[in-house]
Amino acid sequence: MKKFDKERALLAIAAPVLAVIGALIVTALVLLATGKEPFTAFHVMINYGDKTDSQVYILNKATTYYLAGLAVAVGFRMNLFNIGVDGQYRLAAFFAAAVGGAMSIPGIIQVPLIILTAMVVGAVWAAIAGVLKVTRGVSEVISTIMLNSIAGIVIGYFLQDGRLGVLDKNANMVSTKPIPSGSHLFNFSTGGGAVDGFIVLAVVAGVLYWFGLNRTRFGFDLRAVGRSQSAAEASGVSVKRMVITSMLISGALAGLVGMPTLLNESYDYGTDFPVGIGFTGIAVALLGRNNPVGIAVGAVLWAFLDRAANGLEFEGYDQELVGVIQGVIVLAVVIAYELVRRYGLTRQQRQVGAELAAAAAHKQEVTA
Amino acid sequence: MDHRRGECAINASTSPPAPAPSGAPAVELRGITKRFPGVVANHDIDITVRSGTVHALVGENGAGKSTLMKILYGMQKPDEGTIAINGEQVDFHDPGDAIARGIGMVHQHFMLADNLTVLENVVLGSEKLHGIGGRARAAIREISDAYGLGVRPDALVEDLGVADRQRVEILKVLYRGARILILDEPTAVLVPQEVDALFDNLRGLKSEGLTVIFISHKLGEVLSVADEITVIRRGTTVGSADPRGTTTKQLAELMVGSELPSPETRESTVTTEPLLTVQGLRLAGTDADGIERIVLDEVGFTIHKGEVLGIAGVEGNGQAELVEAIMGMRRPDAGTVVLDGRDISRAPTRQRREDGIGYIPEDRHRHGLLLEAPLWENRILGHVTERPNSKGFLIDPGAARRDTERIVQEYDVRTPGIEVTAASLSGGNQQKLIVGREMSHLPKLLIAAHPTRGVDVGAQAQIWDQIREARREGLAVLLISADLDELIGLSDTLRVMYRGRLVADADPATITPEELGSAMTGAASGHLEHDGIEDR
């Protein structure tokens, strides 16, 4: 049985590795087509991405990507496509920042309060899509895309001087009231800069994700719905309730996405707050195969590519090259997973058939 | 039906000598081998079908009959072997090639558009043959009359019954010029009277010089209609038989390589304690066309401890909805369900399962298994809140795995291990796993919908044994089956369901499949009395 498992693990790794290699080949071809030498570019990317300050940048970026990946992956595990992580985390971070800026109580209470606010806002925003799906049959893909847009408008409305925003006359930027320094989250100082303390909470979230899905009754039900909605329903899972619950969880996780930035870097929500991480989360979840460790690898890879894009720019390459790599990886990963999945399934069927035939032949010999 | 006459004329050899052909045989398959990434493949199949005969191909489910017919119909290519049609070697790439050679296939599941007329269905895709108007209508009439099919070209298909639809399918194939017809399990959906009518049609086709290949595992039918029989076991031809000197028992033994089990159970274990009482169940549903119709109409019955209540009926008369209503997967519009003295009418599915309802679903792929999950996770499915699968809110994978090993052992699930996915097991082994799982939680009530469908004879006997044994210990069973022998053999009480109503009841000790069949078509109702002629 052990050998069986090892081969399965190999198969599991095969898909992302194939996808990354495929992406590199396509990128090399693109570079060749534009008349540039591909290996130098890869060399530049690796060298630049390997510097100490790059490493810190990558870790910090990867933390947010990881949380976004987890949020998307919860949906994926039950066949829900939560495209709305983007809107959920922005809205969550905005209201969390507003709450944080409005209070001045000891950090030990205020930091959890800010995080809780973010999770609740993210969960509620995601739950709207869940409720629409179970009551009106609206596809969560459509509703979450629309909710992304609505979230942007809501933030735009409140983020004005005199409402929840404060105008910074020097920079001509509007942002929420900064969170008092007593409520800034700790961080780890290194030679290359500070690593966000929130990385610890991201790891905890990853462990809880794994434990919740694989070791609890609830997680089993959730995965059952993802594998076969009809079988799950017959087994006694209330699919409707499960849709709403998993959207709540997905949204709560999405609420955490903006927290490293808010609590460790910006301390307020301004017009320059990072956007689009929710979409990166989809790619990262796909790349990591909804597996908590896989998502971590995917998040680090994505952050590395982001960083390497800067390096390329310094050396005179187009930084859009990284966009090409990332795009191709996503496409390749989807194809590679399907191929590996089908191969794995037929391989197993063949193995079972062969083993049973061998056993039957043996039995026949004995009885003959 | 008694086929016990004369002595056995079975010729059990691995490659049956071809019967002396008069002219070239219609179909000659030689050394057909098909490898599959599955459990059963065809190997070294030799079959000779003489022109102008009804040739039956029998074998257990999963023996490789369907694969073989797909090869003959051009849907799959054999890895080895040759196919000769009317003495000419052929190489089919797709069904179009087979149709061009005069081969036609009537599939088990009808492929007709309900909202079109018979004429429209027949000409669909073959508009070039006789157009779509008067000439086509005349051609259909001509074929219908020539073979006595009695098909009305302008009837709407949705108004036709199952038997009529089947005749339309046959006509469709004939219209395209088929001289060799493949019928895949044509009697599976028919009641006995309809089967007889079908057989008359087949004899008509034969007398006109057409060749019919008839796939079945119902041996009595095979013996009554076939001129020659080829038996397939484990993917290869194991012998041929002459129906004139063969009994069903002999044929069955050739088919399975062992004795045929019987579902009969006569010592009664029925008690007076009601376990499940269903009253006034009503359910209205909208069909695909958006028309509301009554699916369950005032359904009521009681099952006592130790009793098997069998429900007979042509599929689609509300049996599936009844099961889903009792399982809590569908909310009925009215009515109550009382399990062991407790009203569970409004309880969710999970609570009903915890209260002791075991469920063997009709469609195990849709409702019984997570195909891409390992066996031990499938063992948890449906019983996630119960031991040994979980402790409190946590899954207990170790205990679940150990218990899966036990089920695999006790229920003889043929698998190399419990980490393989459910999809890689054969249908019979999947079913054994489901039965093992449901029985492991000692249900008070077992809902068994077609518990032995698609299951080989060995596993069938085992499943029947398990149901009987549990019944002796006070289990109540709601049995729904299309296999009338199974229903009559296992049930203590029989009810007939027709258009959402329980229209008739019968005593399984005296009723015959034929009598039950006429009630299933709505021809009889009330208490079915056996009319006296003992023929079992």
Side-chain angles (χ1 to χ4, degrees):
Chain A
M1 223 60 242
K2 263 277 170 297
K3 187 168 157 272
F4 214 64
D5 285 341
K6 206 195 272 173
E7 280 178 33
R8 274 222 301 226
L10 244 154
L11 271 178
I13 296 173
V17 170
L18 277 176
V20 171
I21 292 173
L24 286 179
I25 292 171
V26 172
T27 319
L29 292 177
V30 171
L31 280 167
L32 282 176
T34 54
K36 286 189 172 146
E37 208 276 307
F39 291 102
T40 329
F42 293 147
H43 190 70
V44 167
M45 285 169 66
I46 291 171
N47 266 353
Y48 188 76
D50 201 32
K51 288 180 186 162
T52 331
D53 55 343
S54 292
Q55 286 174 353
V56 170
Y57 175 93
I58 289 169
L59 275 182
N60 288 344
K61 259 277 162 64
T63 304
T64 55
Y65 290 171
Y66 183 66
L67 291 165
L70 285 184
V72 175
V74 168
F76 276 156
R77 286 306 283 268
M78 62 167 286
N79 269 341
L80 276 180
F81 197 172
N82 182 5
I83 302 187
V85 170
D86 208 62
Q88 289 147 24
Y89 93 79
R90 275 158 46 207
L91 200 70
F94 173 73
F95 281 110
V99 167
M103 284 189 299
S104 185
I105 48 176
I108 194 113
I109 303 168
Q110 190 166 357
V111 169
L113 202 65
I114 291 171
I115 296 174
L116 196 70
T117 310
M119 291 176 80
V120 169
V121 172
V124 167
W125 202 244
I128 296 173
V131 170
L132 282 175
K133 187 180 173 79
V134 300
T135 55
R136 310 300 317 159
V138 182
S139 163
E140 78 282 1
V141 175
I142 310 287
S143 55
T144 51
I145 289 176
M146 291 181 166
L147 283 167
N148 279 345
S149 171
I150 297 171
I153 296 166
V154 171
I155 293 169
Y157 174 80
F158 284 111
L159 193 57
Q160 285 181 32
D161 201 21
R163 290 190 177 124
L164 290 174
V166 180
L167 182 67
D168 179 351
K169 291 233 165 60
N170 301 328
N172 197 23
M173 277 204 337
V174 187
S175 56
T176 56
K177 232 185 195 180
I179 295 170
S181 62
S183 297
H184 294 179
L185 198 64
F186 63 92
N187 52 28
F188 307 102
S189 304
T190 68
V195 175
D196 294 349
F198 208 83
I199 197 168
V200 177
L201 283 156
V203 171
V204 171
V207 172
L208 285 178
Y209 168 90
W210 174 84
F211 187 82
L213 278 180
N214 293 295
R215 284 288 180 271
T216 64
R217 269 163 37 175
F218 169 79
F220 184 87
D221 285 346
L222 189 143
R223 287 183 294 132
V225 177
R227 275 171 164 147
S228 166
Q229 193 165 317
S230 50
E233 191 140 37
S235 88
V237 181
S238 164
V239 172
K240 285 184 173 179
R241 187 182 304 166
M242 194 51 92
V243 166
I244 292 180
T245 317
S246 61
M247 281 310 270
L248 280 171
I249 294 173
S250 182
L253 276 169
L256 294 178
V257 172
M259 291 302 102
T261 314
L262 183 69
L263 293 173
N264 279 110
E265 290 166 26
S266 69
Y267 309 117
D268 62 15
Y269 189 104
T271 37
D272 58 345
F273 202 82
V275 294
I277 297 170
F279 300 111
T280 308
I282 296 170
V284 168
L286 274 176
L287 194 60
R289 224 183 175 188
N290 305 329
N291 171 296
V293 176
I295 297 170
V297 174
V300 170
L301 177 68
W302 222 256
F304 162 77
L305 289 172
D306 277 359
R307 183 64 173 176
N310 293 341
L312 282 178
E313 211 174 8
F314 293 142
E315 298 289 327
Y317 289 91
D318 300 318
Q319 67 161 336
E320 281 75 17
L321 196 60
V322 166
V324 173
I325 299 181
Q326 290 176 332
V328 176
I329 287 180
V330 172
L331 274 182
V333 96
V334 172
I335 298 168
Y337 276 145
E338 189 55 26
L339 288 179
V340 168
R341 191 186 70 89
R342 284 190 199 169
Y343 172 75
L345 216 58
T346 41
R347 193 187 68 104
Q348 197 178 44
Q349 286 178 339
R350 202 179 305 125
Q351 268 180 350
V352 170
E355 281 186 48
L356 291 180
H362 181 71
K363 213 165 151 189
Q364 239 171 12
E365 260 167 43
V366 173
T367 49
Chain B
M1 266 185 245
D2 191 355
H3 296 282
R4 249 150 284 178
R5 52 193 132 128
E7 54 175 311
C8 175
I10 290 180
N11 175 3
S13 68
T14 43
S15 57
S22 53
V27 177
E28 202 171 7
L29 301 173
R30 284 283 163 267
I32 297 286
T33 298
K34 175 80 188 170
R35 293 182 201 91
F36 256 138
V39 184
V40 180
N42 288 154
H43 57 97
D44 287 326
I45 292 220
D46 288 306
I47 295 177
T48 305
V49 180
R50 286 185 299 130
S51 200
T53 59
V54 174
H55 192 110
L57 198 63
V58 300
E60 294 182 79
N61 281 305
K65 293 169 300 193
S66 297
T67 307
L68 184 63
M69 287 305 109
K70 281 180 184 161
I71 290 172
L72 180 57
Y73 193 51
M75 289 161 80
Q76 262 156 10
K77 272 184 81 73
D79 296 325
E80 285 165 33
T82 58
I83 304 171
I85 304 296
N86 299 321
E88 228 178 295
Q89 194 133 330
V90 293
D91 191 12
F92 294 151
H93 294 282
D94 56 58
D97 292 347
I99 292 168
R101 287 279 176 175
I103 298 177
M105 181 137 168
V106 176
H107 295 273
Q108 194 175 348
H109 300 285
F110 302 148
M111 308 200 173
L112 297 170
D114 280 357
N115 50 347
L116 299 183
T117 64
V118 170
L119 170 75
E120 287 163 341
N121 265 290
V122 172
V123 299
L124 196 65
S126 318
E127 295 84 354
K128 283 182 187 160
L129 287 176
H130 305 285
I132 57 167
R135 273 194 307 133
R137 186 174 287 111
I140 291 172
R141 285 235 169 80
E142 194 182 314
I143 296 169
S144 174
D145 292 345
Y147 303 109
L149 295 175
V151 168
R152 291 166 295 135
D154 293 308
L156 262 181
V157 167
E158 64 184 353
D159 297 334
L160 300 182
V162 180
D164 284 327
R165 288 178 194 219
Q166 190 169 52
R167 281 192 277 273
V168 174
E169 284 279 7
I170 293 174
L171 192 136
K172 225 168 92 180
V173 168
L174 294 172
Y175 186 83
R176 285 158 177 73
R179 301 288 298 165
I180 300 166
L181 269 71
I182 305 169
L183 277 76
D184 189 4
E185 304 261 358
T187 60
V189 290
L190 303 180
V191 298
Q193 286 80 351
E194 293 170 336
V195 170
D196 290 340
L198 171 70
F199 287 176
D200 285 340
N201 291 143
L202 295 188
R203 289 187 195 103
L205 294 173
K206 187 173 78 175
S207 67
E208 296 291 322
L210 271 69
T211 309
V212 177
I213 300 176
F214 177 88
I215 303 173
S216 183
H217 60 253
K218 294 188 180 167
L219 305 176
E221 292 173 356
V222 165
L223 288 174
S224 76
V225 74
D227 300 304
E228 272 164 45
I229 301 170
T230 299
V231 182
I232 294 189
R233 185 168 82 218
R234 288 212 201 101
T236 193
T237 39
V238 291
S240 56
D242 181 347
R244 275 160 303 186
T246 309
T247 66
T248 49
K249 195 159 172 291
Q250 290 165 326
L251 203 53
E253 282 168 12
L254 190 59
M255 196 164 102
V256 301
S258 63
E259 290 236 338
L260 186 72
S262 131
E264 314 250 330
T265 162
R266 280 294 166 256
E267 14 91 65
S268 176
T269 57
V270 183
T271 63
T272 52
E273 254 177 284
L275 190 97
L276 179 76
T277 311
V278 173
Q279 270 177 333
L281 218 52
R282 279 177 64 85
L283 178 69
T286 41
D287 61 11
D289 299 327
I291 300 162
E292 182 150 292
R293 54 194 187 91
I294 305 291
V295 190
L296 294 177
D297 191 1
E298 293 295 324
V299 173
F301 56 83
T302 300
I303 310 181
H304 301 92
K305 284 187 182 169
E307 178 181 6
V308 178
L309 176 78
I311 294 198
V314 177
E315 262 169 75
N317 274 292
Q319 301 95 316
E321 288 80 4
L322 173 64
V323 168
E324 289 178 6
I326 297 175
M327 281 307 294
M329 293 154 68
R330 255 173 208 263
R331 280 245 172 277
D333 302 322
T336 55
V337 180
V338 177
L339 178 75
D340 206 6
R342 279 192 20 194
D343 189 342
I344 56 164
S345 310
R346 306 209 59 83
T349 305
R350 174 150 291 163
Q351 195 197 320
R352 297 185 195 209
R353 277 181 172 272
E354 288 167 350
D355 284 351
I357 302 185
Y359 179 36
I360 302 174
E362 170 178 349
D363 185 339
R364 56 179 163 266
H365 289 179
R366 266 175 58 76
H367 291 130
L369 294 169
L370 302 173
L371 286 174
E372 291 192 22
L375 298 190
W376 69 270
E377 288 196 3
N378 274 290
R379 191 255 167 277
I380 298 176
L381 187 71
H383 302 279
V384 69
T385 54
E386 295 160 68
R387 285 189 178 247
N389 299 329
S390 59
K391 277 187 194 155
F393 283 95
L394 300 185
I395 295 282
D396 187 349
R401 278 196 171 93
R402 278 193 297 281
D403 200 58
T404 312
E405 296 275 13
R406 178 190 63 80
I407 291 175
V408 164
Q409 280 280 320
E410 279 179 23
Y411 289 80
D412 190 29
V413 181
R414 309 268 168 85
T415 170
I418 58 164
E419 299 294 335
V420 301
T421 56
S424 51
L425 297 190
S426 70
N429 284 309
Q430 291 175 346
Q431 191 75 345
K432 284 191 269 187
L433 180 74
I434 292 177
V435 173
R437 171 181 79 197
E438 298 305 324
M439 290 302 194
S440 295
H441 291 276
L442 304 173
K444 294 179 199 160
L445 169 73
L446 179 70
I447 298 179
H450 307 278
T452 61
R453 171 180 285 177
V455 166
D456 58 70
V457 173
Q460 193 175 36
Q462 225 180 329
I463 292 169
W464 285 335
D465 277 343
Q466 257 119 32
I467 292 177
R468 250 171 275 172
E469 202 175 309
R471 190 187 70 130
R472 218 167 289 137
E473 283 156 24
L475 175 77
V477 180
L478 176 65
L479 176 69
I480 288 164
S481 179
D483 181 341
L484 297 186
D485 290 324
E486 176 174 83
L487 268 179
I488 294 173
L490 277 181
S491 304
D492 297 298
T493 319
L494 272 173
R495 293 296 192 88
V496 180
M497 198 160 187
Y498 180 68
R499 297 207 176 149
R501 297 179 73 98
L502 292 177
V503 293
D505 59 291
D507 179 358
T510 55
I511 200 84
T512 65
E514 287 71 21
E515 288 161 352
L516 207 52
S518 69
M520 283 161 64
T521 59
S525 60
H527 182 69
L528 302 178
E529 281 291 351
H530 180 57
D531 54 17
I533 310 150
E534 192 57 61
D535 61 353
R536 293 196 110 246

PDB file of all heavy atoms in Angstrom, chain B residues 314-328:
ATOM      1  N   VAL B 314     -43.800  -0.164 -13.338  1.00  0.00           N
ATOM      2  CA  VAL B 314     -42.904   0.224 -14.414  1.00  0.00           C
ATOM      3  C   VAL B 314     -42.178   1.484 -13.961  1.00  0.00           C
ATOM      4  O   VAL B 314     -42.778   2.342 -13.312  1.00  0.00           O
ATOM      5  CB  VAL B 314     -43.706   0.489 -15.712  1.00  0.00           C
ATOM      6  CG1 VAL B 314     -42.787   0.969 -16.815  1.00  0.00           C
ATOM      7  CG2 VAL B 314     -44.444  -0.771 -16.129  1.00  0.00           C
ATOM      8  N   GLU B 315     -40.914   1.575 -14.267  1.00  0.00           N
ATOM      9  CA  GLU B 315     -40.143   2.711 -13.782  1.00  0.00           C
ATOM     10  C   GLU B 315     -40.768   4.040 -14.185  1.00  0.00           C
ATOM     11  O   GLU B 315     -41.313   4.174 -15.269  1.00  0.00           O
ATOM     12  CB  GLU B 315     -38.715   2.634 -14.325  1.00  0.00           C
ATOM     13  CG  GLU B 315     -37.776   2.026 -13.304  1.00  0.00           C
ATOM     14  CD  GLU B 315     -36.439   1.694 -13.896  1.00  0.00           C
ATOM     15  OE1 GLU B 315     -35.676   2.631 -14.113  1.00  0.00           O
ATOM     16  OE2 GLU B 315     -36.181   0.510 -14.137  1.00  0.00           O
ATOM     17  N   GLY B 316     -40.654   4.999 -13.297  1.00  0.00           N
ATOM     18  CA  GLY B 316     -41.178   6.321 -13.616  1.00  0.00           C
ATOM     19  C   GLY B 316     -42.619   6.509 -13.174  1.00  0.00           C
ATOM     20  O   GLY B 316     -43.270   7.458 -13.556  1.00  0.00           O
ATOM     21  N   ASN B 317     -43.133   5.607 -12.351  1.00  0.00           N
ATOM     22  CA  ASN B 317     -44.497   5.758 -11.868  1.00  0.00           C
ATOM     23  C   ASN B 317     -44.545   6.299 -10.449  1.00  0.00           C
ATOM     24  O   ASN B 317     -45.555   6.190  -9.772  1.00  0.00           O
ATOM     25  CB  ASN B 317     -45.242   4.426 -11.958  1.00  0.00           C
ATOM     26  CG  ASN B 317     -45.858   4.229 -13.334  1.00  0.00           C
ATOM     27  OD1 ASN B 317     -46.778   4.923 -13.721  1.00  0.00           O
ATOM     28  ND2 ASN B 317     -45.297   3.307 -14.084  1.00  0.00           N
ATOM     29  N   GLY B 318     -43.430   6.871 -10.006  1.00  0.00           N
ATOM     30  CA  GLY B 318     -43.422   7.516  -8.707  1.00  0.00           C
ATOM     31  C   GLY B 318     -42.612   6.798  -7.647  1.00  0.00           C
ATOM     32  O   GLY B 318     -42.500   7.278  -6.524  1.00  0.00           O
ATOM     33  N   GLN B 319     -42.006   5.657  -8.009  1.00  0.00           N
ATOM     34  CA  GLN B 319     -41.255   4.909  -7.006  1.00  0.00           C
ATOM     35  C   GLN B 319     -40.064   5.715  -6.486  1.00  0.00           C
ATOM     36  O   GLN B 319     -39.814   5.776  -5.287  1.00  0.00           O
ATOM     37  CB  GLN B 319     -40.727   3.588  -7.578  1.00  0.00           C
ATOM     38  CG  GLN B 319     -41.793   2.650  -8.095  1.00  0.00           C
ATOM     39  CD  GLN B 319     -41.993   2.807  -9.594  1.00  0.00           C
ATOM     40  OE1 GLN B 319     -42.043   3.916 -10.116  1.00  0.00           O
ATOM     41  NE2 GLN B 319     -42.103   1.693 -10.278  1.00  0.00           N
ATOM     42  N   ALA B 320     -39.337   6.336  -7.430  1.00  0.00           N
ATOM     43  CA  ALA B 320     -38.148   7.090  -7.030  1.00  0.00           C
ATOM     44  C   ALA B 320     -38.536   8.237  -6.108  1.00  0.00           C
ATOM     45  O   ALA B 320     -37.874   8.493  -5.096  1.00  0.00           O
ATOM     46  CB  ALA B 320     -37.427   7.620  -8.264  1.00  0.00           C
ATOM     47  N   GLU B 321     -39.653   8.893  -6.431  1.00  0.00           N
ATOM     48  CA  GLU B 321     -40.089  10.029  -5.615  1.00  0.00           C
ATOM     49  C   GLU B 321     -40.547   9.561  -4.236  1.00  0.00           C
ATOM     50  O   GLU B 321     -40.322  10.242  -3.236  1.00  0.00           O
ATOM     51  CB  GLU B 321     -41.223  10.780  -6.324  1.00  0.00           C
ATOM     52  CG  GLU B 321     -40.776  11.578  -7.535  1.00  0.00           C
ATOM     53  CD  GLU B 321     -40.593  10.729  -8.786  1.00  0.00           C
ATOM     54  OE1 GLU B 321     -40.888   9.510  -8.736  1.00  0.00           O
ATOM     55  OE2 GLU B 321     -40.136  11.266  -9.803  1.00  0.00           O
ATOM     56  N   LEU B 322     -41.172   8.390  -4.192  1.00  0.00           N
ATOM     57  CA  LEU B 322     -41.611   7.846  -2.906  1.00  0.00           C
ATOM     58  C   LEU B 322     -40.400   7.622  -2.002  1.00  0.00           C
ATOM     59  O   LEU B 322     -40.396   8.001  -0.823  1.00  0.00           O
ATOM     60  CB  LEU B 322     -42.366   6.533  -3.133  1.00  0.00           C
ATOM     61  CG  LEU B 322     -42.742   5.752  -1.867  1.00  0.00           C
ATOM     62  CD1 LEU B 322     -43.718   6.560  -1.024  1.00  0.00           C
ATOM     63  CD2 LEU B 322     -43.335   4.396  -2.211  1.00  0.00           C
ATOM     64  N   VAL B 323     -39.361   7.020  -2.569  1.00  0.00           N
ATOM     65  CA  VAL B 323     -38.149   6.773  -1.795  1.00  0.00           C
ATOM     66  C   VAL B 323     -37.557   8.092  -1.317  1.00  0.00           C
ATOM     67  O   VAL B 323     -37.189   8.239  -0.143  1.00  0.00           O
ATOM     68  CB  VAL B 323     -37.120   6.004  -2.652  1.00  0.00           C
ATOM     69  CG1 VAL B 323     -35.770   6.000  -1.969  1.00  0.00           C
ATOM     70  CG2 VAL B 323     -37.591   4.584  -2.905  1.00  0.00           C
ATOM     71  N   GLU B 324     -37.489   9.066  -2.211  1.00  0.00           N
ATOM     72  CA  GLU B 324     -36.889  10.340  -1.826  1.00  0.00           C
ATOM     73  C   GLU B 324     -37.727  11.052  -0.764  1.00  0.00           C
ATOM     74  O   GLU B 324     -37.184  11.756   0.083  1.00  0.00           O
ATOM     75  CB  GLU B 324     -36.696  11.219  -3.060  1.00  0.00           C
ATOM     76  CG  GLU B 324     -35.565  10.665  -3.937  1.00  0.00           C
ATOM     77  CD  GLU B 324     -35.327  11.456  -5.209  1.00  0.00           C
ATOM     78  OE1 GLU B 324     -35.966  12.504  -5.373  1.00  0.00           O
ATOM     79  OE2 GLU B 324     -34.506  11.015  -6.018  1.00  0.00           O
ATOM     80  N   ALA B 325     -39.016  10.864  -0.822  1.00  0.00           N
ATOM     81  CA  ALA B 325     -39.870  11.483   0.199  1.00  0.00           C
ATOM     82  C   ALA B 325     -39.632  10.817   1.559  1.00  0.00           C
ATOM     83  O   ALA B 325     -39.563  11.495   2.582  1.00  0.00           O
ATOM     84  CB  ALA B 325     -41.338  11.371  -0.197  1.00  0.00           C
ATOM     85  N   ILE B 326     -39.485   9.505   1.576  1.00  0.00           N
ATOM     86  CA  ILE B 326     -39.259   8.829   2.854  1.00  0.00           C
ATOM     87  C   ILE B 326     -37.867   9.156   3.390  1.00  0.00           C
ATOM     88  O   ILE B 326     -37.657   9.282   4.589  1.00  0.00           O
ATOM     89  CB  ILE B 326     -39.445   7.298   2.698  1.00  0.00           C
ATOM     90  CG1 ILE B 326     -40.892   6.999   2.293  1.00  0.00           C
ATOM     91  CG2 ILE B 326     -39.116   6.572   3.999  1.00  0.00           C
ATOM     92  CD1 ILE B 326     -41.141   5.550   1.999  1.00  0.00           C
ATOM     93  N   MET B 327     -36.911   9.320   2.485  1.00  0.00           N
ATOM     94  CA  MET B 327     -35.554   9.656   2.911  1.00  0.00           C
ATOM     95  C   MET B 327     -35.419  11.125   3.312  1.00  0.00           C
ATOM     96  O   MET B 327     -34.392  11.534   3.834  1.00  0.00           O
ATOM     97  CB  MET B 327     -34.557   9.388   1.769  1.00  0.00           C
ATOM     98  CG  MET B 327     -34.167   7.946   1.585  1.00  0.00           C
ATOM     99  SD  MET B 327     -33.565   7.189   3.085  1.00  0.00           S
ATOM    100  CE  MET B 327     -32.048   8.107   3.373  1.00  0.00           C
ATOM    101  N   GLY B 328     -36.426  11.921   2.998  1.00  0.00           N
ATOM    102  CA  GLY B 328     -36.337  13.338   3.339  1.00  0.00           C
ATOM    103  C   GLY B 328     -35.588  14.158   2.317  1.00  0.00           C
ATOM    104  O   GLY B 328     -35.203  15.292   2.577  1.00  0.00           O
TER     105      GLY B 328
END
